Amino acid sequence: MPVEVLTISIIMAAVAGSSAVWALVHFKLKSKELETQGRSTELGLIVDALRDDLNDTRGRLAEMEERLDFTERVLAAGRESQEDRSG
């Protein structure tokens, strides 16, 4: 398997994993919001903590997407360079 394919596969798996984490945190946040309607302050603090986790996860996902874009550009440039040398 070419190194480029392996690299992109690993990065795509990481992005997919981050998306799954984001979805899970989002689901938990919504669940806690529904539970806290009309309930104690303690649950409100839990929701705030989950919201912070969600924001952190979004940031990490955005960073991974940027890294994937960069990797794709580097690999594409490498391919073009190889084609120029061989063509």
Side-chain angles (χ1 to χ4, degrees):
M1 179 178 291
V3 174
E4 295 89 4
V5 173
L6 182 60
T7 302
I8 289 177
S9 298
I10 291 169
I11 293 171
M12 292 299 291
V15 169
S18 294
S19 297
V21 169
W22 179 86
L24 179 62
V25 171
H26 185 72
F27 173 75
K28 286 185 176 183
L29 175 65
K30 288 298 180 184
S31 297
K32 289 296 179 185
E33 282 179 341
L34 292 174
E35 288 176 17
T36 59
Q37 291 176 350
R39 291 204 181 171
S40 72
T41 306
E42 183 180 332
L43 287 178
L45 295 174
I46 292 171
V47 170
D48 290 340
L50 286 171
R51 189 171 281 122
D52 290 342
D53 287 347
L54 178 61
N55 288 334
D56 181 53
T57 303
R58 284 179 181 159
R60 295 173 94 187
L61 178 59
E63 182 180 339
M64 290 188 98
E65 289 172 342
E66 289 176 18
R67 289 178 182 210
L68 174 61
D69 291 342
F70 174 77
T71 303
E72 288 174 339
R73 288 192 302 271
V74 168
L75 291 174
R79 277 190 220 114
E80 290 173 5
S81 173
Q82 285 179 348
E83 289 174 2
D84 291 344
R85 283 184 274 172
S86 66

